[in-house]
Amino acid sequence: RDEPRALRCYRKSLRLSPRRVGAGKECCRLLAEAGRREEVVEVCEAALEALPGDAEVERWALLPLALALSESGDHRRAIPAFQRSIRVCRRDGLGAEMERRCWEGLGLGYHEDGRHQSAAKAFEHVLSAPWGGSQSAFSLARLAAIHSEHLLDHQGALALRRRALDALNGTRDNAAAAPVAMGAAVDLLNQSRKLTRIGAKGAAASAA
């Protein structure tokens, strides 16, 4: 397949009309698969700026833009793109899978930007959503990290990581499971240390 030629055709089509959803989706897909994230951002932003607020353009351009920014580590710019993507998902009924990706991307953006409370709310939304996000290993693992690292709730983090491991067991994704299992081991150790400290303080209080 002649992907460079296909990309040229898709880009030409989008220059003529950014409202061509099929061309936009395929162009972004090919660029993303080739790791050309900056060009995904360029294509999406050009279309969104050409027709601001256009529903057809937003339908294909917002999520690839948000994902490309997130994968490039530009989480601060990704956050508003994910927020707009969520509104488009709700407006156009684009499906549970796309809405889950938007919310998880938003949570990741908040987490990486140091906005841990907002991140926790986003991941909790995924896990409680009616479209079946309760088994999202990504949201469970990220929420566990917030509980462990920022709330110092090691017991809660351990419970979340165990749920994440249960979800991953069905996928046999060992690469994803390994860091979750390591995090669970650290949480277990930290919880044991915490209980030991509490026990020691209790014994000292009793002796006094």
Side-chain angles (χ1 to χ4, degrees):
R1 190 173 60 175
D2 190 350
E3 291 185 358
R5 183 178 180 184
L7 276 170
R8 286 195 298 272
C9 290
Y10 291 139
R11 286 184 151 181
K12 181 177 180 180
S13 178
L14 291 171
R15 283 194 294 271
L16 293 171
S17 173
R19 302 184 82 243
R20 292 176 175 171
V21 176
K25 286 182 175 180
E26 284 301 301
C27 184
C28 289
R29 182 185 66 79
L30 290 174
L31 289 171
E33 287 177 355
R36 296 159 66 177
R37 299 186 187 97
E38 290 184 3
E39 292 178 65
V40 174
V41 172
E42 176 189 314
V43 167
C44 294
E45 286 186 334
L48 290 164
E49 289 170 7
L51 293 174
D54 185 87
E56 293 297 314
V57 175
E58 290 180 338
R59 191 171 293 124
W60 71 260
L62 279 173
L63 184 56
L65 171 63
L67 290 171
L69 290 169
S70 179
E71 290 165 5
S72 300
D74 195 348
H75 298 288
R76 191 157 293 182
R77 288 175 64 202
I79 288 170
F82 279 121
Q83 290 171 331
R84 290 177 67 189
S85 295
I86 289 168
R87 290 194 289 271
V88 170
C89 282
R90 291 173 172 172
R91 181 191 70 197
D92 298 342
L94 298 182
E97 177 62 19
M98 186 170 289
E99 190 165 352
R100 181 189 64 77
R101 293 179 73 190
C102 290
W103 276 101
E104 288 189 334
L106 180 62
L108 175 63
Y110 283 142
H111 194 185
E112 294 296 326
D113 197 40
R115 298 160 67 177
H116 307 301
Q117 186 174 359
S118 296
K121 287 180 180 179
F123 294 129
E124 286 165 356
H125 177 81
V126 173
L127 297 171
S128 63
W131 25 264
S134 62
Q135 295 305 309
S136 168
F138 180 85
S139 288
L140 288 164
R142 279 281 172 168
L143 187 57
I146 294 169
H147 275 257
S148 178
E149 297 164 13
H150 305 289
L151 303 179
L152 301 181
D153 175 16
H154 304 298
Q155 186 173 357
L158 181 60
L160 288 163
R161 291 195 209 272
R162 283 172 171 165
R163 286 174 61 191
L165 286 170
D166 287 342
L168 287 167
N169 281 339
T171 66
R172 297 183 180 180
D173 189 346
N174 294 329
V180 178
M182 180 65 71
V186 172
D187 287 328
L188 187 60
L189 177 61
N190 286 329
Q191 180 66 7
S192 298
R193 287 173 174 168
K194 182 178 179 180
L195 292 174
T196 300
R197 287 195 302 271
I198 292 171
K201 288 179 180 177
S206 298

